[in-house]
Amino acid sequence: MTAAAIGASTLRTLAVRLRTSAPVSARILSELASELDRGGPVADLLCSHSAVHSPLFGIQALAGVRLLMLSGKAPELSQRFASAHAAAMAGESDSTALLAWLAARRAIVENAGEILAALDRTVQQHQPKTAGFLLRGLTMIGAQKVRLLELGACAGLNLILDHYRWFGLGWEWGDKDSPVRLAAVGPQPPPELEIVDRAGCDLQPRDPADPKHAMILQSFIPPEHDALRWDLDDAVELAAKVGVKVARSPAGRWLRENLVPPDERDTYTVIWHSSFWAYLTEDERNEIETTLTAAAGSMPLARVAYESTDFRSNPRLTVTIYS
């Protein structure tokens, strides 16, 4: 298959997934796929980038278009998209969606550099609700004091899960005054569970206090997904206040440097990662596993992961007790 055919197939796959929840975004992706089929300036631009071969190409392309709207560089597209979204919510004709696509096409051609920069970025669909799987893993471990180390931590939104308010079936946990209020599944966490230390690393960390970085994180949410955007905005604002820092470093090296016994012997060290493992090479995975195995004799240690085997399968929660 040609690069254009591979990219078009990926775009259409994502369009099908978004058709119900984000119909205008799905229409733009479908039209973009047809553009790759036909050839022309847009196809030449997108197919010039190696991301066209990635299963995440559709997410990156849509994020690039979305970022043009967020940054104010595509005002016509923002207007057309809002009209099309309103029409879709009202169950009206999708003719406005076609106008949104035409505006998107012009915006892509006029902002080629920004689109290529978006294709360079790692996908960071960084949602605070993902920390709910971490909370469930911590509940399974049952430790009272936890030192939390996150690999692929992005802006650190998962590292501050105790600053959110979680609502499960018959229970609540976390900061009762938190602006971030999220549903949770599973049993009630131990009331005495405390995160006594936290740190993380990422190859492309995002500073929640930097508006440009926050905008990049927002770009990975389709405009139609209002609730996700509100949760993200609240969590980013909270993370900026908490001040958690994420180091720029490869995960294997950072883990070797930071996985030392905690100051207090009754503290459980938990390594956490989500939507991260598939980005690593086999050598990088082995390096992390070797480091964890070697450290198991010197501290209580566990790993909580919410990962898929590849970019196409559904993620699964796993809890591994090393010591």
Side-chain angles (χ1 to χ4, degrees):
M1 295 177 68
T2 65
I6 293 172
S9 175
T10 304
L11 294 172
R12 289 192 174 98
T13 298
L14 181 57
V16 170
R17 285 170 48 194
L18 294 178
R19 186 173 295 161
T20 300
S21 65
V24 184
S25 295
R27 177 64 180 273
I28 289 175
L29 287 168
S30 295
E31 296 288 352
L32 193 57
S34 297
E35 194 80 12
L36 264 61
D37 290 337
R38 290 190 297 267
V42 173
D44 291 343
L45 173 67
L46 296 181
C47 292
S48 71
H49 198 287
S50 60
V52 73
H53 297 280
S54 168
L56 301 177
F57 171 61
I59 298 174
Q60 293 168 295
L62 187 59
V65 173
R66 175 62 173 148
L67 192 57
L68 294 179
M69 299 167 61
L70 291 168
S71 63
K73 293 182 178 180
E76 180 194 4
L77 172 57
S78 296
Q79 181 181 2
R80 296 292 190 188
F81 198 107
S83 298
H85 181 37
M89 294 293 289
E92 298 175 357
S93 169
D94 67 349
S95 60
T96 52
L98 177 59
L99 295 177
W101 153 246
L102 294 175
R105 187 182 187 280
R106 284 190 290 272
I108 291 171
V109 173
E110 293 170 0
N111 297 276
E114 285 80 358
I115 294 298
L116 291 176
L119 296 179
D120 282 335
R121 294 190 189 100
T122 299
V123 171
Q124 293 175 311
Q125 295 175 309
H126 197 32
Q127 281 295 316
K129 68 175 185 178
T130 305
F133 296 98
L134 168 60
L135 180 59
R136 189 166 188 177
L138 294 178
T139 301
M140 294 168 65
I141 293 170
Q144 295 185 12
K145 294 183 179 180
V146 170
R147 175 180 60 161
L148 185 59
L149 303 179
E150 183 175 11
L151 309 179
C154 193
L157 303 187
N158 292 316
L159 286 168
I160 60 170
L161 79 162
D162 52 332
H163 290 267
Y164 304 152
R165 189 64 173 178
W166 298 92
F167 296 86
L169 184 60
W171 58 265
E172 299 179 19
W173 186 85
D175 183 356
K176 61 182 178 61
D177 297 320
S178 176
V180 181
R181 311 179 77 77
L182 301 165
V185 295
Q188 181 175 0
E192 65 277 6
L193 172 60
E194 180 185 5
I195 311 297
V196 298
D197 193 16
R198 68 197 83 209
C201 70
D202 200 289
L203 288 177
Q204 295 182 7
R206 298 297 172 195
D207 181 358
D210 187 329
K212 292 182 179 179
H213 284 212
M215 195 179 298
I216 288 173
L217 295 179
Q218 292 168 344
S219 72
F220 289 105
I221 300 176
E224 298 96 327
H225 292 179
D226 292 329
L228 292 180
R229 185 174 70 253
W230 296 333
D231 285 344
L232 175 64
D233 290 348
D234 288 342
V236 166
E237 183 177 353
L238 180 59
K241 292 178 180 178
V242 173
V244 61
K245 297 298 182 183
V246 177
R248 183 183 298 275
S249 175
R253 184 179 70 195
W254 182 85
L255 190 61
R256 289 197 312 272
E257 295 172 351
N258 288 272
L259 192 56
V260 296
D263 295 333
E264 299 183 29
R265 295 177 60 88
D266 61 344
T267 298
Y268 217 109
T269 298
V270 176
I271 310 303
W272 156 251
H273 55 84
S274 61
S275 302
F276 161 79
W277 204 243
Y279 287 100
L280 303 181
T281 65
E282 193 63 31
D283 286 344
E284 290 170 326
R285 295 175 184 177
N286 290 337
E287 179 185 14
I288 290 171
E289 186 60 42
T290 298
T291 300
L292 292 172
T293 302
S298 60
M299 69 188 81
L301 178 65
R303 173 164 59 172
V304 178
Y306 185 62
E307 297 284 0
S308 57
T309 54
D310 54 46
F311 294 117
R312 297 179 176 88
S313 59
N314 292 326
R316 295 178 296 178
L317 176 67
T318 60
V319 178
T320 306
I321 305 297
Y322 288 85
S323 58

